[in-house]
Amino acid sequence: DEDADVTDGREGAKRPYFNSSTMGRQQKVEERLITGRVEEQTPFWSRLGSTDMETVQAISALRASILNHQRLEEAEERAQIMIDAMPLCCLFWDENGELTDCNDEALRLFEVKDKEEFRSRFHELSPETQPDGSKSREYVRKNILSAFVEGKLRFEWTHRTSQGELIPEEGTLVRIPRGEDYIVAGYARDLREQKASMEELQKARDMAQENVRMKSEFLAAVSHEIRTPLNGIHAMARTVSGLDV
């Protein structure tokens, strides 16, 4: 019958196995061409079935796998675009506490040219000690391990740019799943503008308090200067009022 003829044709051609060849457009996989092979080699699929239905099912499964892979690549690309467009500095650490990736905002904030430089110089981009006296290298590792255990951690941190300018930050570490493992994502908010605003407010408050003090001293002095001649005038008036004129 027809199925037997197809099977005999495959066996007669001595190409019972098939593989796939990529056919793309604009560097994207569109289809894969199924081709016969004389022997099984990696990455070959199983031997062709004895009916066309089995072959069609195998090809359909391969096509579905390709489409799923394309969707995953597109989703990862969208996620990377969103991370790079984020106005916050974003860093990623693995379970060993090693920095693995960052977004474009981190490169801008620390004034480094690329991610490789940022990873290799990460510990240089912090002062040796933090404002509370703790050593930066030990403190950051401790915080990352705490985030892996607790799931989330928030703290204040001081970094510095590649040019040496100190950057006060609010840091947030969050444990997130990635595949079968977990990583820690770190978000850093630059507090330089906020700190500068707080300093300006403090200066304005100090100035207002100084103005109040000076006003009080001025009024006290004026009051004293006014009372002194008035007391003399009042005494003289009492003396004059007691005289016979």
Side-chain angles (χ1 to χ4, degrees):
D1 60 84
E2 184 176 352
D3 287 343
D5 293 339
V6 171
T7 303
D8 292 341
R10 291 173 184 159
E11 297 295 343
K14 296 183 179 179
R15 295 181 180 272
Y17 301 97
F18 71 91
N19 194 7
S20 60
S21 301
T22 302
M23 293 191 298
R25 181 177 59 185
Q26 297 179 351
Q27 299 182 344
K28 290 187 177 181
V29 175
E30 297 290 342
E31 299 286 348
R32 288 186 179 270
L33 177 64
I34 307 304
T35 58
R37 290 291 184 268
V38 176
E39 59 182 358
E40 187 170 10
Q41 300 173 351
T42 305
F44 283 108
W45 284 58
S46 59
R47 184 185 182 96
L48 286 176
S50 59
T51 66
D52 286 336
M53 182 59 68
E54 293 178 8
T55 302
V56 170
Q57 289 175 346
I59 296 174
S60 298
L62 178 60
R63 177 178 173 82
S65 176
I66 295 170
L67 293 176
N68 286 334
H69 181 69
Q70 287 178 339
R71 294 189 187 101
L72 287 175
E73 286 184 338
E74 292 171 357
E76 289 181 358
E77 183 179 359
R78 287 194 299 269
Q80 188 62 49
I81 291 173
M82 293 174 64
I83 291 172
D84 285 336
M86 185 183 301
L88 296 177
C89 171
C90 184
L91 315 175
F92 297 95
W93 286 272
D94 62 19
E95 65 277 8
N96 298 317
E98 297 295 330
L99 182 67
T100 59
D101 201 359
C102 67
N103 66 348
D104 289 347
E105 179 63 16
L107 306 182
R108 185 201 65 78
L109 179 64
F110 293 99
E111 300 177 2
V112 294
K113 62 181 180 180
D114 55 39
K115 295 183 179 182
E116 182 60 34
E117 180 185 359
F118 182 72
R119 284 193 294 267
S120 63
R121 298 185 58 191
F122 175 71
H123 291 294
E124 298 178 25
L125 299 174
S126 293
E128 185 176 351
T129 59
Q130 291 297 302
D132 63 358
S134 59
K135 293 186 178 297
S136 297
R137 186 183 290 264
E138 297 174 1
Y139 190 49
V140 70
R141 180 173 291 274
K142 175 183 175 183
N143 285 347
I144 292 171
L145 293 177
S146 296
F148 268 109
V149 175
E150 300 173 12
K152 186 174 182 180
L153 184 66
R154 181 171 293 174
F155 57 96
E156 288 198 0
W157 184 262
T158 298
H159 272 296
R160 65 183 175 194
T161 68
S162 59
Q163 305 303 315
E165 180 184 358
L166 295 180
I167 310 174
E169 298 174 347
E170 179 188 61
T172 303
L173 299 177
V174 182
R175 183 186 64 212
I176 58 176
R178 184 172 186 178
E180 298 180 356
D181 299 318
Y182 286 91
I183 62 173
V184 163
Y187 305 94
R189 185 163 65 93
D190 187 351
L191 298 181
R192 282 179 291 186
E193 292 185 3
Q194 180 178 331
K195 295 282 188 181
S197 298
M198 291 177 64
E199 290 178 0
E200 291 296 326
L201 289 174
Q202 183 64 39
K203 290 179 181 178
R205 188 180 69 173
D206 293 344
M207 185 178 295
Q209 290 176 345
E210 180 64 16
N211 290 338
V212 170
R213 185 188 64 80
M214 294 177 62
K215 180 179 179 181
S216 298
E217 291 179 355
F218 173 77
L219 291 176
V222 169
S223 176
H224 174 73
E225 296 297 330
I226 292 176
R227 285 199 306 271
T228 299
L230 286 178
N231 289 337
I233 293 172
H234 180 66
M236 292 178 63
R238 291 180 61 186
T239 300
V240 170
S241 63
L243 298 176
D244 294 332
V245 179

